[in-house]
Every structure is written in structure tokens, then in C-alpha cells.
Amino acid sequence: MSAGPPPTPAAGPQPGPGPRAAAAATAPHEGTIRHPGRAAATLGALGIVFGDIGTSPIYTIQTIFSPDDPHPVPLTTDNVYGLVSLVFWSVTVIVTVLYVGLVLRADNDGEGGILSLITLVARPGRRPGRRSRARTLTVLTALGVLGASLFLADSMITPAISVLSAVEGLKVVRPGFEPLVIPVTIVIILALFAAQRIGTARVGRVFGPVMTLWFLAIGAAGIAGITAEPGILKALSPTYALGFFVGHFGIAFFALAAVVLAVTGAEALYADLGHFGRAPISRAWLALVFPACTLSYFGQGALVLHDPGPDGAIRAPFFLLVPSWALIPLVLLATAATVIASQAVITGAFSVARQAVQLGYLPRLRILHTSMQTIGQIYVPAVNWALMVMVIVLVLSFQTSAALAFAFGMAVTGTITVTTTLLFYVARQQWGWPTWAVLLAGGGFLLIELMFLAANLTKLISGAWLPLLIGLTIFTVMTTWQQGRRLVSERREQREGPLRTFVDELHERRPAVHRVPGTAVFLNRDRDTAPLAMRASVERIAVLQQRVLIVSIQTAPVPLVAPQDVATVDDLGYRDDGITLVTARFGFMQRTDIPGMLAALPAEAFESPVDLADASYFLSTIRLEPSRHPTMPRWRTQLFLALSSLTADAARAFELPADRTVVISSHISV
């Protein structure tokens, strides 16, 4: 496990130089992030954020009335009116009111997602502290990590069910095409994940027009269906949803496991907040996505009433909304839209993974920024390929979208419930909401979500076990890494000690340390502790180069930092010892080229000339080994050791010359 600074540290304000700094602090505003225009941002959001929730009409109504459901819903007029109304009001309350109206406001410096909520929960709030706050934060943090784990499980299931549901339209076109469904689905998934490296912004520009056409098409098809049975519009009244739920509770309760499919993708709106911002997401939802999905649901309900029976429209109500001549174009458009649906959760998974790395719940991963405009647009290769493998495994295992439907609902419901719980804690502690408002609003939302959760638990045998298993596995990985990392950090800090104290000790024992010709560059985790490699040189062989540069690396929340503002030089209180602390600040789109950064510094920044052409670079790494008396269970220790091997290579990340880089390892038992 590398001990050097991470290639992509958490962005945000960073401490300036100490009181004895030799150079002035950098300017507070190195530059600004350029934002695209409103139309471009909204189009980009349509292409990335709404693919998941925008393709829910393909399978929601069909799943609700599926005869393969262990608790089938009888196809009657009252049931159709009640369930269409229940779908509409579920989307209205959960997506429009909760997510668009409230959740998107809970951003952490522009970033969204459950792990951002964990950060907000941990901040000191407006409310006075209580003794139980530490225990409360521990429980809420664990809950948040579980929610993030379920979202990552959702990121695996969404591409599988979305693409499968669209390609299954081939069976409607011609039953003989059924053997092609699985091979075509896998080819599409391979192409989707291979395209991730080009970046969210470019993908969004391609996908935006496609999704605009998609929503216009499903809205128009819905209108055509409604004209056949215009009475279905009466289901817009909430009395139909409430009357059906109360009057037919036994049917309605079990049907909730399928109704929740209409809100799949709601969490992607929040997870992708850092990619586009709240305003474009809200505009796109209210102006196009919500109306189009509503028209499609009501059109399908009308079609089912107009053509009832097991061999009627219920076979594929979404595709049968269009005339036969439009069926093949709709299947092709649906396939493109479900690819985009997968994109929504993939980009959300990238955001969640980066936040997990920053919060210490995952090892340092290679994270690539793909946009000059927005810091949140990233590509995480390890996550991308892991998701691809899991999605293909799910497609091959479940074979049909119907088989995956209840697994999908379980992941969505669990994630939404966790998000709501954390949100209303933030509303109380950070936003200063009165207790009565939190209890009234939070209790109302949670009551609805817990009903969905309970209904999905009845489908455990039918597939709901899958996201729980995946989520529990990811939760175990994340909590194991966090616990092991905390133990290693505590032991490492004990060995490192404060940097300034170490420099003071060097001066006290100055004659005992032999200074040899040359320049040494020690990369360090931060600016406050002594590099382990430097301490080892002094304490073990009592040798140190005449010129020593300690480099601490930070990432600024701007794409580019001006060259003159990249480095801050601090003499650590001594002008004649040849030891200098260099704090380097890079923009999130800049190469972290440490040799190049040092070469660009003016000669007067140092006490004496520095020979960088022949400088040696020292990295401190930690070699982990199992302890005879482990502080974690042995299986957790072995898992932590396995995860540590995934940490990105610091020498490569900072472009250090291979022939002049020395890695000094320290052993720590866990």
C-alpha cells in the first residue's frame, strides 16, 4: 500500500503555509470553472441523468400485471385505474417532491450521492451538540455506507435489465428473434463500457439528442393510447391511488414491489449532481421527462383496458402502443435509450467510488478527469471494468428482464430509504428545520418508502435477495478498508511524527548526520508529518543529501492552476539547513508532473542552487503483514491485505523518473 500522497486527493480548501513560510500564499482564486449554457447543460443532463428513470415505462406496467408474479394482479378496470394512479403519484412524491425538490439541495460542494450526505451529516450543525451525537453519527454513517453499497448493486442491475428489456422488443417484432436477445444484449453492454473512457461530457452531447427524441416518442405514443380510452385520465386524481390502496390492500401491497420500478433512477439524479448541477437536472425533469413518462404510463393503462386478456396488450404494453410500422424503429430507439439508462448509473457509480476513496472507504484508485468545465466528470477504469463483468454475469444468469425486475426494485427501495433518513437528519442539524417539520415530512416519506421496502421483501425468493447479497458484500469491503486504513494510519503517524519537530531534532544532532552531495526529493502524504523515507535515512544510516525537498501535493477545485501559483515554498524555520517544504497545488485537469513542477520554480525560491537533473526521488510505502495478534478478525485482515494491492502506483501518478526513484518500505502489522 503506497504511503505517498494520493493522485486525486479530496478537492477543497487546503491549509496554507505555516507561520515561517518563505513564500506568500497562492491567490485564493486561481481561475473559474466554465459552465456550459443552460440549453447545453439541460441537453447534457437529458443524455446522462435520466436514462434510467426515463426507460422505466418499458417494463413497469408489464411487470405489475405479469402472470409470472408470485402475487399476480387481476386485470380489472378498478385495478388498472388504481395502479396507474399509484404509479403516477409514487413518481410525483418520490421523484418530483423528494428528490428534485429536496434531495438535490443537499450538495457537498456541488457533489451529490449518499456519501456526500455522510459528509454533511458529520459536519457541525446549527443544533446544539448532544452526548449521543457520536453514536448517532456512527449509526448514520454505517447506514450511508450501506445505501452507497446498494446503489453500486443497482449500478450492476440497471444495465442488465434496461438493455435486456429493450432488446426483448425483438420478440414482439418476430418471435423467431428470441435466440438473438442475449448475444445482442452482451454486445451492446461491451460497447457501452468500452465507450466510458471518452468522458461524460462527450457522451452527454451524443446521448442528449437521442433522449430528447425518446421522450418525445414515448409521450406521443402515450397520447395515442389515451385517445382510445380517455377515461384513464381520471387516474390523475390521488383518490384513485388512495382508494385502491385502502380498498384492495392485499393486491396493492404486493403490487408495490413492481410499482417501485417507476422510480428507479431517482438516486442517479442525486449521484450525478456533480456532473451537471441542480438547475439543469430540475429543468429537464419538469419540462420533458416527467410529462413524457406520465403520458406513457397512462397510455399503457388505456391500452390494457382497450385490449384486455392474457394474449392482449399486457404481453408488451409499451411496444404495442405504436402501430406495426413503427415497432422496429421503437425497438431501436428503446435499445439506444436503455444504453443511456445504463450510462446514468455508471456515471453515478464513478462519483460514488471517488467519494468512497476520498472518505477512506476504498483504496486509492486511478481516477481520470474528462472535462475542463466540471470537476465531477470523471472516469474510474477499475470500477468500469468490474461493473461490466458483473452486468454480463447477471445477463447470462437471469436471461430475461422479468427475472431481474424484483431484484431491481429491492436495490432502489433500499437506497431511497437510506437517502431519506440521512436527508432529514441534515435538514434538522444543518438546515435548522424545526422538529415538527422533520417528523411530519420525514415521517411521511419514510412511511411510503417502508411500505415499498416491505413489499419488496416479499419477493426475496423471486430475486430480491440479489441486491441484498451484492450490497452486503460491498458494504463489507468498504467497512473493512475503512477500519484497516484507520489502524494503519494511526500506527504510521506514530512512526512519522511531526515534521517540524523532526527538523528541529535534526539541528540538535546535526554533527551526527552526514550530509552527502546531491538533491533528494521526498514525496509526503501531507505537510505536517515527517516522510518515513527521510526518517529512515536519518535514523538508520545517518545520511542525508545536502539539498532536501519535501513535496506535499494538493488538488485544487479548479481545472488549471496558474504556473506561478502552483508551488508554495517554506524553509521550515531554518535558512541554512538545505531542507525545504514545497506545497504543490494542481488543478484537477492538470498532470501531476512533480519533476516538471520543481524545474519550473525560480532559483530564488530556494536557499541555494538545486540540481534537479540528477535529483533522487524517494517514496515511502507501507508493507502490510498479518499480525500474530490482529486487531480485526482474521478474515477481515486477509480482505484488507488483498484490497491494499489495488492501490494506484504513486511513482507513475507523479511522473517520477524510474531510474532515479527509490522506494523505502516500512512494515506494519494489522
Side-chain angles (χ1 to χ4, degrees):
M1 186 178 71
S2 174
T8 54
Q14 302 289 354
R20 294 177 286 189
T26 60
H29 302 287
E30 296 85 349
T32 58
I33 298 176
R34 300 188 306 276
H35 294 280
R38 289 181 56 175
T42 303
L43 186 64
L46 278 171
I48 298 297
V49 178
F50 295 102
D52 190 2
I53 199 166
T55 53
S56 297
I58 297 177
Y59 44 78
T60 299
I61 298 297
Q62 180 178 348
T63 304
I64 288 174
F65 292 102
S66 172
D68 297 328
D69 190 327
H71 306 94
V73 177
L75 191 56
T76 66
T77 300
D78 287 345
N79 288 352
V80 172
Y81 272 61
L83 282 165
V84 169
S85 183
L86 199 58
V87 167
F88 170 72
W89 284 103
S90 296
V91 174
T92 300
V93 171
I94 294 177
V95 183
T96 305
V97 178
L98 178 61
Y99 272 84
V100 175
L102 292 174
V103 175
L104 292 184
R105 298 178 183 274
D107 68 287
N108 176 33
D109 296 327
E111 285 287 345
I114 286 185
L115 293 180
S116 287
L117 271 179
I118 292 178
T119 305
L120 293 176
V121 163
R123 288 180 181 174
R126 298 183 184 182
R127 314 299 304 179
R130 298 176 299 172
R131 277 187 169 182
S132 60
R133 176 170 166 79
R135 292 193 297 271
T136 301
L137 290 180
T138 299
V139 173
L140 290 176
T141 298
L143 194 62
V145 174
L146 178 60
S149 303
L150 287 173
F151 177 79
L152 291 174
D154 180 26
S155 301
M156 300 173 189
I157 300 171
T158 293
I161 189 174
S162 298
V163 179
L164 264 175
S165 65
V167 178
E168 284 170 350
L170 291 173
K171 296 187 294 184
V172 181
V173 176
R174 183 175 298 176
F177 287 161
E178 184 171 357
L180 297 176
V181 170
I182 298 300
V184 171
T185 298
I186 292 176
V187 169
I188 292 171
I189 288 170
L190 289 172
L192 170 66
F193 283 97
Q196 294 304 309
R197 64 176 66 249
I198 70 175
T200 303
R202 296 173 186 173
V203 169
R205 285 195 292 270
V206 175
F207 286 173
V210 176
M211 288 308 297
T212 301
L213 178 60
W214 166 258
F215 289 119
L216 293 174
I218 68 172
I223 292 173
I226 292 170
T227 57
E229 291 283 343
I232 193 67
L233 292 177
K234 292 187 292 185
L236 287 169
S237 170
T239 57
Y240 280 86
L242 292 174
F244 173 73
F245 194 79
V246 174
H248 304 79
F249 181 78
I251 297 174
F253 173 74
F254 291 112
L256 286 178
V259 171
V260 76
L261 296 176
V263 300
T264 57
E267 187 62 27
L269 272 65
Y270 187 37
D272 286 334
L273 181 63
H275 291 253
F276 296 99
R278 182 169 65 89
I281 293 174
S282 301
R283 284 196 301 267
W285 170 255
L286 295 173
L288 182 58
V289 180
F290 186 30
C293 290
T294 298
L295 289 171
S296 181
Y297 287 127
F298 277 77
Q300 291 180 60
L303 182 65
V304 168
L305 288 174
H306 186 71
D307 184 15
D311 296 324
I314 195 57
R315 294 180 294 116
F318 176 81
F319 289 105
L320 293 176
L321 271 176
V322 301
S324 57
W325 62 264
L327 189 54
I328 293 178
L330 182 61
V331 170
L332 295 176
L333 183 58
T335 302
T338 52
V339 168
I340 297 167
S342 305
Q343 183 65 51
V345 292
I346 292 170
T347 54
F350 291 164
S351 296
V352 169
R354 181 181 65 174
Q355 293 166 7
V357 170
Q358 293 172 339
L359 293 173
Y361 288 102
L362 285 177
R364 184 179 64 210
L365 302 173
R366 186 168 173 243
I367 300 174
L368 305 177
H369 292 275
T370 60
S371 171
M372 290 291 291
Q373 284 75 39
T374 308
I375 190 171
Q377 295 189 6
I378 57 174
Y379 168 61
V380 187
V383 174
N384 185 64
W385 303 123
L387 285 177
M388 185 193 74
V389 171
M390 287 302 302
V391 170
I392 292 175
V393 168
L394 290 176
V395 169
L396 294 175
S397 300
F398 283 81
Q399 299 285 312
T400 67
S401 60
L404 273 167
F406 298 118
F408 200 23
M410 188 73 242
V412 171
T413 308
T415 305
I416 291 175
T417 304
V418 171
T419 297
T420 301
T421 304
L422 298 180
L423 173 72
F424 282 96
Y425 183 85
V426 170
R428 172 65 173 161
Q429 296 295 321
Q430 304 293 334
W431 299 348
W433 281 27
T435 302
W436 67 265
V438 171
L439 293 177
L440 183 63
F445 284 118
L446 282 174
L447 178 62
I448 295 171
E449 292 159 11
L450 289 173
M451 290 295 293
F452 279 119
L453 186 63
N456 274 277
L457 287 174
T458 66
K459 311 295 184 181
L460 279 175
I461 298 177
S462 302
W465 59 269
L466 176 66
L468 294 179
L469 177 62
I470 296 174
L472 183 60
T473 301
I474 297 174
F475 177 81
T476 302
V477 167
M478 294 174 75
T479 53
T480 297
W481 180 259
Q482 190 272 341
Q483 184 179 355
R485 180 179 176 274
R486 177 178 54 81
L487 293 171
V488 171
S489 295
E490 290 174 355
R491 294 172 184 178
R492 176 171 181 159
E493 287 176 4
Q494 293 173 356
R495 295 188 183 185
E496 289 175 333
L499 175 59
R500 291 186 180 272
T501 301
F502 178 65
V503 173
D504 291 340
E505 292 173 352
L506 276 178
H507 278 262
E508 293 175 3
R509 53 185 295 193
R510 198 165 188 172
V513 178
H514 181 55
R515 304 298 290 267
V516 298
T519 299
V521 180
F522 293 91
L523 272 67
N524 200 30
R525 295 185 310 153
D526 55 46
R527 50 181 294 119
D528 298 319
T529 60
L532 280 177
M534 183 177 175
R535 184 177 286 278
S537 296
V538 170
E539 295 181 349
R540 295 186 180 278
I541 58 177
V543 169
L544 199 62
Q545 284 78 358
Q546 290 178 343
R547 297 296 294 117
V548 174
L549 302 180
I550 302 171
V551 179
S552 172
I553 301 169
Q554 301 168 356
T555 301
V558 293
L560 300 171
V561 173
Q564 67 272 17
D565 295 331
V566 167
T568 299
V569 180
D570 187 343
D571 61 19
L572 297 174
Y574 298 96
R575 294 285 301 172
D576 60 347
D577 63 352
I579 301 175
T580 304
L581 171 65
V582 179
T583 302
R585 303 177 72 244
F586 293 93
F588 61 81
M589 286 295 295
Q590 285 177 284
R591 293 165 49 197
T592 50
D593 180 2
I594 300 304
M597 178 274 298
L598 293 175
L601 290 175
E604 58 269 19
F606 302 105
E607 306 160 15
S608 57
V610 176
D611 180 16
L612 292 173
D614 197 38
S616 298
Y617 294 83
F618 292 83
L619 286 173
S620 308
T621 64
I622 295 296
R623 299 297 179 188
L624 300 175
E625 55 188 22
S627 172
R628 292 183 179 179
H629 306 286
T631 52
M632 296 188 296
R634 291 193 180 276
W635 67 268
R636 276 192 179 269
T637 300
Q638 294 300 322
L639 176 58
F640 178 70
L641 294 175
L643 291 171
S644 66
S645 65
L646 301 177
T647 305
D649 179 26
R652 178 183 177 186
F654 302 124
E655 303 188 33
L656 306 183
D659 59 336
R660 290 186 284 122
T661 298
V662 180
V663 178
I664 297 181
S665 301
S666 296
H667 290 267
I668 289 182
S669 299
V670 292

